[in-house]
Structures are given as C-alpha cells and as structure tokens.
Amino acid sequence: MPRIAPSIEDALAAVTDGCVLAVAREVSGVAMAATCALVRRETRNLHLIALPTSSMQADLLIGAGCVTALETSAVSLGEFGPAPRFAAAVIAGALRMRDATCPALHAAFQAGERGEPFAPLRGLIGSDILKYRIDWKVIDNPFAADDPIVLVPAIRPDVALFHAPMADRAGNVWIGRQRELATMAHAAEKTVVTVERIHPGDLLADPVLAAGTLPGFYIDAIALAERGAWPLPLPDHYPADQEHLAEYARLAATPDGFARYLERYVHASRAA
Amino acid sequence: MPRIAPSIEDALAAVTDGCVLAVAREVSGVAMAATCALVRRETRNLHLIALPTSSMQADLLIGAGCVTALETSAVSLGEFGPAPRFAAAVIAGALRMRDATCPALHAAFQAGERGEPFAPLRGLIGSDILKYRIDWKVIDNPFAADDPIVLVPAIRPDVALFHAPMADRAGNVWIGRQRELATMAHAAEKTVVTVERIHPGDLLADPVLAAGTLPGFYIDAIALAERGAWPLPLPDHYPADQEHLAEYARLAATPDGFARYLERYVHASRAA
Amino acid sequence: MQAAPPEDSCRDEELLACVIRGLIGDARHVAVGNASPIPAAAALLARAEGQGRPYVSLLQSRKHNFFTDGGRELFDCAGRGRVDVFFLSGAQIDGQGNINLVAIGDPARPQVRFPGSFGSAFLYYVVPKVILFRTEHSRRTLVAKVDFISAPGTSAPNVYRPGGPVALITNRCVFLFDKDKGRFRLASVHPGHSAAEIAEHTGFAYDAPETVGVTPKPSVQSLRLLRGAVAGELAEVYPQFTAQVFGRRHGSAS
Amino acid sequence: MQAAPPEDSCRDEELLACVIRGLIGDARHVAVGNASPIPAAAALLARAEGQGRPYVSLLQSRKHNFFTDGGRELFDCAGRGRVDVFFLSGAQIDGQGNINLVAIGDPARPQVRFPGSFGSAFLYYVVPKVILFRTEHSRRTLVAKVDFISAPGTSAPNVYRPGGPVALITNRCVFLFDKDKGRFRLASVHPGHSAAEIAEHTGFAYDAPETVGVTPKPSVQSLRLLRGAVAGELAEVYPQFTAQVFGRRHGSAS
C-alpha cells in the first residue's frame, strides 16, 4: 500500500539521478512543487518524457541542469512565448532531444500500460520526426497490400510524477477526466503523486468518485502539496498564475535572469 | 446531437439485419430490454461481437435465430451453467464462430477506437485459438530478435449497444468505471444506449460526473428503459434476478422450453 | 446450513484452499476469475495471513476489486507484470499442461461445446504463477491430449512467456508442473487418497516419486482465519458456497 | 479596450475568421488547438450559423470541449475519422505544404528552436480538411523549402492519408492547396493587398490566375454573430484577444 509521505522531498525518493521520469501536460496536473524540490535536491541526468507536451516544468528542470535527455512533442510557455531554457539548451547541444508527436507518445504509453512491445501509428511517414527517430520502425501492414505503417516502441518510465486534486488514506488518487494520468501510472514502474488534500473516505467506495480514481495499487508515494501545481493551473480547481508566468518568461529569457528566478522562487521556498 | 428516442424500438433503428453489433459483458451493463425488442422485431443475420464475453444476451439472440456469426471469448450463464442455445447452435453448425480471448477483443476495440489497423498482443502463439483465427497474423517483433508476436485486426462494429445508469438531454451517458463502454462506442460507427433515467442537468458540467461520462458526440440514439438490464445486473444499481436466470437456464435447455420462455417473457412484454 | 467441523478436522474445500494458499507464497497481487470460490478463499487467506498483502482482485466482486479502467485493466495489469498469481481450469487438461475451454471434437462441429477460452490464451503466458484448479479428477478431465488448446502449457524458447502453470490441484492430489520437462510431477495425495488411485484416474503420464507424501492438513491458525475473516469476506461473492462450506451467511456476525 | 468598428467595415481578424468559416463549410466536428483565437472564432461562428452543428472542440476550453478520455481522445477521434476540420500553423511553411514547427538549421544544433511538432505529424494526415493559418506573410515564414518537416503537405500514393491541407490563410491572402499538384494556388487577396505584393513577400512558387479576386468581406449577419454570441463564447478562452478585437470582456452582457 502506498504511503502518505511526511514531505514532498520524502515522496520523491524514487526519482533518482539518471532515471526516466514521465510528467504530465499542463492541463492534466503538473507537480510543480515537487519539481522545485527536484531542483533544490540537484537531481541530475533525468531522462524526461512529457505526455505529450510540457511547459514551465520542463523549462525549469532543463534550466536548472537536471535533464540530459528529453522526449516530447513540444515545450512551450503558450501565450508567454517559447520556452527559453529549453530552446537555449537545444541550441547549445546540451540536451539529447527526441522529438515526437502527441499521439505517438499516447500510443507508446498505452503500449507500455498493456505490456506490449509497440503500438502502430498512422501519419509520420515522410516527416523529419520519423527520420530522426531511429528507434521507430516502419513495417508493411500485414492486413493490407503496400501499406507502410509506423510502429513506436512502448514507453515504460521508471517513475511517473503528477499532481492531482485528492487522494485517500489507502493511496487511491482522484484524477477525474485526466485519463492519461492513469495510463502514465500503469505504464511506469513507480508513480509519485502530490495532491491538494486528503479525502477522508474511500474513493473507491463511491461509484461516482471511483469512476475518476486511479487505484492506490499503482501508486508508490503520495505527498500533500497545497496549490502544488502553482504557478500552473489545476483544472477545475485554480487557474494559472498569469503574472507569475509572465515573470518567469521574462527572467528565464537569460541565464542570469533564470538564476535570479531560482534564487527567488525555488531555493527560497526551502526556508518558507 | 443524439436524440432521446420515444421508444426502445425507435432507438434500435440503427441495428439493421446483417449488421455487426457489439455488446457489453455482463458486469458492464447489458441492454436486455433492447435485446428482447430485437428478438420481437425478428432481427436477422447479426454478426455479434461480445466485449469480451456474453451471457444470457448472446444465448437469447442465438436461440431466437437473430445471429449468424459470433465473435467472443466465452458465452456462459455463469453459476447457472453453460449457455444452452449457444452450445446447441455451435454443435449444429448453425453459427459462424470466431473464438477469441478477452484481451484480444479489448485490444482490437482499442485499435478500432484509435483508427489504427491492428494491435499487437502477447500470448496466443501455440494455441488453437490462433490456429483457427486466420484473420490474425503473426509477425516478428521488429524491436527484438526472433520474437514472434500476434497482431489482431481492429474491430469497428456498425453499432455498439449497451445499458447505462443515466443520460442527460444532450445525450451524454454516464458509464462510471465501465471504461470499455467508451472504447466500444469510440470504435463503433453508431452507438445505441438504453438508460435507467434521464439526468436533469449537464453531465459534463460537473467534473466529478464528467469523469464517468461518455460524451453525446459518440451516441446516436438513447431510449429510456427502467431496469433495462433485467434479469442481468446493473452494477451499483441492482443485482441479477437469480430466480429468473435459473428459470431461463432450465427452459433454454431445450428448444421447446426456449420457445416457451420467449412466449412468456419476450413476446408477452410487447403487450405489457 | 451446517455447522463448521471442529478444528481437528477439515473439509475438502478447506484443505484445497490451504494447499493453494501455500502455493501462492509471497505475492503482491493475486487475481481470481469467475466461479472460483476455493481459489478466492485461498487468496483471501493469504491476505489475512499477510496482513494486507497481497492485493486480491476477485473479478466478480465490487469490494475486492480495485479496477477502474474497465474490463481491460486485469489484462493490462497482467501484461505489465502486475499480476503474480492467477487461476485457470479446463474442461480438459493434459499432461503437457495444455488446457481446453472450447470443445470436444472438431471445434467447427463439436460433440460438446464449452463456454470459451476467456482470458486464458493471454494470462497463461504472462502471469508467473498460474495455478490450475480442477476438482473433478478423472480420465474425462485429465487427458493425454486436449481436443482444443485454449492455451498451451509450455511454449517454444523464442515465444515471450514469463508465465505459465506451476501446479494442478484436484480433489485427489497436488501435481507440480516441471516447466523444463513440460510434465507434471505428483507432489502429494490428499488424506484418504493413494498414488495407485491417482494413476487409475489420470489420463496423462506424469512423474512420481517412489513414495508420495500426503498433502498436509491446514494448521489450526489457518483454519481459524478461513472460517472467520475469510468466510466473512467470501460471502459477498459466493454466498451459497460460504453458507455450505463454512456455515456462514453474508452479513452474519463473525 | 476599443469599441467595435461599424458594420460596414471590419477588422482584419474578423475578415480572416469569416474566410475560415467559409472554408469550414458543413462539418460535424471542428477541433481547434492551442493559441488559435481566429480559427476558434471561425469555428464558433460556424456553429452559431449552423444552429448547434458542428461540434466545436477548443482544446484549451473546459466548456467547449467534450473530451473525457484524456489527452488522447482528440487523436483517437481524428484517427477514427471523427474530426473534420483542424488548424495547423508553422514557423515555416513551404510551397509543397510542408510545415516546420521544430527548428531552423540542423535540428541537432539548430540556430533557432521552436516548441515542437505537437500533434501535426498525425493530424495533418488524418483530418480531411486541415486549414493552415499563419498571419505573418513574409519570405521568412513562407519559404521555398522548410528546414525540418514536422509534417509533409502530401504523401506518396501508398501512404495512408485521408487528410491534408486545403488552404493557407495569411494576413495578405488566401491560398488553396491543389493536392494533385502538391502546390498552392492564390485564391484571393484581402482588401487593400495586391497580387504583386503577394509575389514579393512569398518565398515559394505558387499558381495564380491572371487576375486574382479580392477576398469577400464578411456579411453583416456574420459580423453580428461574430461580435455578439461568438465573442461572448470566445472570451472564456481568449479574454485578451476578445477584448482587443471585439471590445468584449468575459462575462460582459451581449
């Protein structure tokens, strides 16, 4: 049974240097408080996989030197523009990039969830994404004549990390409509979750809540983190902190500014 | 937008003679009232696909002469013994059988949902299931050496039919934990649903209800059918009618008894 | 409803449940399919003894079943290596561990048709410990060669197969499966049964030691748990079985 | 916050939205990705005019977004043929309809790095009507050959491709895409722009009629809907855009 860890830092024990870490897209629940803890802990050599995109979380981890390899369909700060630390790292050749496309990541995680070695995916043929993904294969669809199709290998990350509205004491986590979080946890070896609050009852006992619940069976550690997605949004709970994101975009545009951001908002929060 | 049909018969317009009809397993919500309507209407030549097994529903449809072909992992009346009309039809050679195994059907529907032509599945190699499924292929896994693996072709039924606790006026249907019903509807061309009741609000407006909701976008027709799974159970709502199922098993054991069952419980309910 | 027997004797069902519980060993997740009250009792006994470990999924239960991703979740779990123990049976089981859940005779025009293979053609390959369970031990059920292979006992070396059969439990004895030989070996006969009787009623060839031991009786502690907490939990899914074997009804005080 | 212009004139954004609405035609489901306020306005306009048809999915919206199966549902929908219209853009777009969302220069050590391809390398193939939308019309954005093909404009005949580009809308003109030729054709220039100007600012070769027409202005009826009901709905997702273009704020009376 998963444990409710005494602290975020404690819950993150599974995220070791060099591990393959899967993270959620912005609208699914990004564990930003935990991300800051990883930066403070000086986690290194992460192989980060975004399902299927990332925003400030990937940019922050990359800027702080935590990431060696990145697989994603995009990293962007949305209306606040490109992700500056991500772009700088790619341009500097400091990041082993695996450019993907959203449904390829969904398919690869679903194959991982099912324990199958690969998944087929239409599209891609003739793109430079496929050209650079030498780990992807093209076969002839055996159910048709002269019909090439891409196979993407399954993704089974070491750890999946996300933020959710609530968990109960048995470690069941309510994820609502964010079904890819279930897929991510099913595919991963271990799953670490931060939550806004502890639900007093049993999430699986009520059929309506159970429909949106990821069973504790898949969860290794849970930590309480109120407003744990801040400054990103937690859908249906709180919106993005637009001002803070604008400030991040402004500061992260330069290495010095980024260092000031870390000092002010990431390292400082240790004391807070 | 799907319509709330004035009657079950009206909602079933999409289930035409000869169509490929997908139906749900017993614990997911079986549209038994609609099934009786199909029998009364003398529907013929159905290609029935159970996701992934069936019980009295398939037995009733087969006994009533509605089914020409059947794809399933099993048909059984559970503690009431084998499915007599199913077994008799197979023994008589009156049914084109496609024996499958549960995860093959789940995988094939998921491929159908994704619009992909096939899905890989471990297992199966060396079984007689595979031997008789000439529509399934074995390939060498291109991501490993000397590693044969089965590919099952996608299933995209003409119509998916099931019973659910509730729908709203926009045609959104609450399915709860029965996620394969969403997969079934996504994979099918059309989906017909019977429900216990109409929910007065918008199922998608409340995040907790939305987590268990299949959007009306996928639904073609809905009909109200109180206790529409009877005599089978609707999980979390009502249990199976054990006495009635025992009576069915007893009567269906012979053609004459089955005819009496139809007369008493299927044709009679037209008048009721 | 009968009273439970005293602690120094045990019913056949209790003996079988305790044998299976021993085979489960230490596991994280034991899943039990439909219509399997004795394996279910064994799994719940393992959890009672393990103080919460293993997770037990009774597929017919709402309470003892954590799945929220639909009918595929059991198979996804198993494919991903998250089901340690599962139970299968067969209308026929042969000496190579092949099971038949489909038909007797030509499957296109069989003499007898069974329900079908359910998930066996996948789970038998991927679950590390599959325990075969067939109470009826006869030449009708334990055959030289099954008429239809729903799932084979062993696979060629190049076939992905982390799982497979480890044992076959019947109402007469315990066979263990030797994966390398692809054969069963008689491990013990239940009290009151003999090696000669096993030979007489088994349709397949198997290995046997010169003298075969007797299946050990359940410990008093195991029996207490079985008749107490386990029976109480089991009654949700198998009310008739529980009433008959343990003299318990769902909801009755323990 | 500015007042909306009178009905006999229209803003560029309104013109573009109405052009796109015309290209949408009759559809069952129009999906709009992130950061696309003008396509979103066009899709909502189509729905307002179609009295509830098409379904419109604004991926950033909670309200205008029926998905309940996670982030994959859009792609599943599209793969299954249930998205009729989608919008894509490109840091670079070339004359063969190839789009680049990744990088300028060698992608391993680029001069400029863009966010990435998102879902384009799938959606561009399977959505029947993909409308390319790039307001900046310059030789920097509309190039002879993209540095990186996130998704190609056309595919070999044996590649499964029910979808692809139908048009490219810029702040200067409308190009239609000729799938058989794999080339754009200038369809109309927006009021105040000229064919010569298009030639000057376009980095790729394209077909053009001898005399090119002017993009028709929106009807009074369309403008009314756009500034009324559509602006009201749009404000949920694009508050700044809506305030700026339509002088509307989220929640303000219509």
Side-chain angles (χ1 to χ4, degrees), chain D residues 113-228:
Chain D
R113 169 72 206 202
F114 306 114
S117 303
F118 292 94
S120 65
F122 178 76
L123 295 173
Y124 210 28
Y125 293 75
V126 298
V127 175
K129 266 190 192 176
V130 176
I131 298 171
L132 297 171
F133 182 73
R134 177 79 216 220
T135 46
E136 182 189 334
H137 185 148
S138 72
R139 287 181 173 265
R140 196 181 76 90
T141 56
L142 308 188
V143 300
K145 193 173 179 338
V146 295
D147 286 27
F148 183 98
I149 301 176
S150 284
T154 59
S155 299
N158 68 338
V159 172
Y160 177 83
R161 183 148 198 183
V166 295
L168 165 59
I169 320 296
T170 74
N171 63 347
R172 300 185 200 269
C173 73
V174 177
F175 290 110
L176 294 181
F177 190 72
D178 184 323
K179 193 184 158 188
D180 295 326
K181 285 188 180 172
R183 277 170 75 87
F184 288 104
R185 177 179 180 81
L186 183 60
S188 67
V189 294
H190 301 335
H193 299 273
S194 71
E197 173 202 331
I198 304 302
E200 184 190 339
H201 292 285
T202 305
F204 58 70
Y206 55 89
D207 296 332
E210 276 192 31
T211 55
V212 63
V214 174
T215 308
K217 284 196 183 179
S219 69
V220 169
Q221 207 174 0
S222 293
L223 275 182
R224 254 184 224 153
L225 279 171
L226 208 49
R227 292 168 185 176

Side-chain angles (χ1 to χ4, degrees), chain A:
Chain A
M1 196 184 280
R3 63 213 170 85
I4 311 290
S7 71
I8 295 175
E9 286 71 16
D10 194 76
L12 288 169
V15 186
T16 54
D17 282 7
C19 84
V20 178
L21 179 66
V23 293
R25 66 191 179 129
E26 186 166 315
V27 299
S28 286
V30 177
M32 285 303 290
T35 300
C36 290
L38 290 176
V39 170
R40 284 196 297 274
R41 212 186 58 185
E42 299 188 353
T43 308
R44 288 293 174 268
N45 298 322
L46 291 178
H47 179 151
L48 196 67
I49 306 182
L51 179 59
T53 57
S54 187
S55 61
M56 181 179 160
Q57 181 181 33
D59 203 60
L60 190 72
L61 286 169
I62 292 164
C66 306
V67 181
T68 311
L70 175 64
E71 178 162 8
T72 186
S73 300
V75 183
S76 163
L77 300 184
E79 49 183 325
F80 302 102
R85 292 300 95 211
F86 157 72
V90 175
I91 289 167
L95 204 54
R96 219 161 60 244
M97 258 316 279
R98 286 185 171 178
D99 265 291
T101 187
C102 302
L105 287 161
H106 286 295
F109 273 88
Q110 283 184 287
E113 165 182 59
R114 294 179 58 225
E116 298 297 334
F118 57 80
L121 187 68
R122 291 301 194 182
L124 282 167
I125 293 171
S127 74
D128 285 343
I129 296 177
L130 180 61
K131 180 174 133 188
Y132 287 97
R133 290 301 300 253
I134 53 172
D135 56 329
W136 294 356
K137 308 278 183 192
V138 179
I139 66 160
D140 279 316
N141 172 10
F143 297 95
D146 190 22
D147 180 20
I149 186 166
V150 174
L151 302 183
V152 298
I155 292 176
R156 298 181 182 187
D158 295 321
V159 185
L161 172 65
F162 60 85
H163 184 71
M166 58 182 167
D168 65 21
R169 298 226 165 262
N172 304 303
V173 176
W174 193 81
I175 58 170
R177 269 167 290 190
Q178 317 305 336
R179 299 297 311 173
E180 74 265 35
L181 298 180
T183 301
M184 192 192 266
H186 296 169
E189 283 300 316
K190 294 184 176 181
T191 293
V192 176
V193 183
T194 58
V195 295
E196 291 290 315
R197 63 186 184 85
I198 301 297
H199 175 76
D202 175 356
L203 285 166
L204 291 179
D206 170 358
V208 174
L209 284 171
T213 296
L214 171 65
F217 176 74
Y218 300 99
I219 313 289
D220 292 86
I222 294 173
L224 205 57
E226 218 177 306
R227 293 187 66 80
W230 178 88
L232 297 180
L234 184 62
D236 300 322
H237 289 77
Y238 43 86
D241 183 338
Q242 305 277 337
E243 269 180 48
H244 188 89
L245 290 176
E247 184 180 356
Y248 176 79
R250 202 169 55 244
L251 286 171
T254 66
D256 282 359
F258 182 75
R260 283 204 302 284
Y261 179 89
L262 287 187
E263 198 46 50
R264 196 175 303 165
Y265 293 108
V266 178
H267 296 302
S269 71
R270 182 192 263 147

Side-chain angles (χ1 to χ4, degrees), chain B residues 179 186-188 213 217-218, chain D residues 28 66 68-69 73 80 82:
Chain B
R179 300 297 311 171
H186 295 169
T213 296
F217 176 74
Y218 300 100
Chain D
R28 178 161 183 262
F66 60 75
T68 58
D69 203 25
E73 190 169 357
R80 188 62 185 81
R82 287 202 171 101

